[in-house]
Amino acid sequence: MEKMYPPVVNSPKTELTELITDTQTEITVANASVLLQGEGIAVLGNGDAAETITYTSVEDSVLKGCVRGYEGIARAWPVGTRVARNFTAADFRAVQNNIESHEDRLLDIATQPRAEYASNADKALPASTWLSPNWNIKKTDNNNFITSPDLETVTIRTSGVYLIQAIIGVSSYAGGIRNIKVIKNGTEDIGYNSGAPGSSYTSRNNITAIAYLNALETFKVQVFQDTGTELTLSSGVCRLSIIKISPP
């Protein structure tokens, strides 16, 4: 990503208070408050005769650590030369290049391992028992995350950071809690969502987890309820999505 400098509304101007050479890296202006504070960019002169500089800091009225000729030609400038935070070609190029970089990133994400699954079969959910849905409806899967006959377990084929999102539906029942978690390798919780007790509601719990997972590691989405009676994991509600969001 290329550095993008903040704007200054209306680009107010100040001016040089002393003659500067074409190699000078500390530049004194009449009113530095109209320029970007800290690290910044500014234009000396105007029109055809102009030079864009960058600087690393501002102390009192002095721009320090100036890079001369960032755009245009570094030259000597007289007292009274206009100095302002104008919109520059460098600003425009940074926007263009960063947009292109984001587009490349999005294209890269689109080709990463990913899957979307659903469940179309109700499943009994006993009280005080952790249970996983059967992900028996494959919407898309370009990396064989889930393979029969085990439709509860997701197996990672390529190491990396993964975004895991699930929606779990549980039949309506007054009271009790509905918890949902993502558990790695059968022992390690990498995501947990504790649902508060409710009254006569259909529980629809969401969970999001981001975790680094090695190739051949596994995870499951599991659900828990403590109503004291058997409930049902609701078909048509349960959804699972997985996408690798960064390389190893």
Side-chain angles (χ1 to χ4, degrees):
M1 295 288 291
E2 294 191 20
K3 182 168 183 61
M4 297 173 64
Y5 293 94
V8 174
V9 176
N10 296 327
S11 299
K13 69 179 181 68
T14 183
E15 59 186 31
L16 296 181
T17 59
E18 61 182 13
L19 170 73
I20 62 170
T21 68
D22 60 353
T23 59
Q24 192 168 326
T25 58
E26 293 192 357
I27 297 174
T28 303
V29 296
N31 180 13
S33 68
V34 302
L35 303 175
L36 291 176
Q37 301 302 295
E39 192 175 359
I41 188 171
V43 177
L44 307 178
N46 202 11
D48 293 338
E51 175 192 349
T52 300
I53 65 169
T54 63
Y55 51 90
T56 58
S57 63
V58 179
E59 294 184 17
D60 296 325
S61 294
V62 181
L63 311 182
K64 293 181 174 284
C66 296
V67 175
R68 302 296 304 277
Y70 187 70
E71 287 181 333
I73 299 172
R75 64 184 73 190
W77 293 96
V79 174
T81 295
R82 182 183 189 275
V83 183
R85 169 50 176 124
N86 296 339
F87 183 77
T88 68
D91 291 308
F92 186 68
R93 281 196 304 272
V95 171
Q96 283 183 310
N97 292 338
N98 289 341
I99 289 174
E100 290 174 359
S101 176
H102 279 297
E103 288 175 345
D104 291 342
R105 173 68 172 156
L106 290 174
L107 287 173
D108 182 57
I109 289 176
T111 61
Q112 291 295 322
R114 63 191 301 148
E116 292 185 18
Y117 279 84
S119 176
N120 71 346
D122 288 349
K123 188 173 184 179
L125 178 60
S128 303
T129 301
W130 286 99
L131 190 76
S132 297
N134 287 325
W135 305 111
N136 62 327
I137 301 298
K138 179 172 68 174
K139 304 289 188 179
T140 183
D141 186 344
N142 64 5
N143 211 232
N144 294 319
F145 285 101
I146 297 177
T147 56
S148 184
D150 184 357
L151 300 178
E152 298 180 353
T153 302
V154 178
T155 301
I156 300 301
R157 310 296 177 182
T158 306
S159 298
V161 177
Y162 284 82
L163 171 64
I164 303 160
Q165 295 178 303
I167 301 173
I168 301 295
V170 181
S171 57
S172 178
Y173 190 84
I177 61 171
R178 321 288 190 268
N179 294 340
I180 178 174
K181 67 181 178 180
V182 180
I183 185 168
K184 182 177 77 171
N185 299 329
T187 58
E188 180 184 350
D189 291 351
I190 57 175
Y192 198 98
N193 182 10
S194 179
S199 177
S200 299
Y201 62 86
T202 296
S203 175
R204 183 185 175 95
N205 282 354
N206 303 318
I207 191 167
T208 297
I210 298 176
Y212 182 89
L213 298 168
N214 291 306
L216 300 183
E217 287 191 312
T218 63
F219 72 83
K220 290 183 178 183
V221 177
Q222 294 189 324
V223 190
F224 176 91
Q225 58 91 4
D226 70 350
T227 61
T229 189
E230 183 178 280
L231 300 183
T232 303
L233 287 178
S234 304
S235 63
V237 177
C238 297
R239 296 287 188 274
L240 173 67
S241 66
I242 312 149
I243 183 170
K244 182 183 174 189
I245 57 175
S246 77

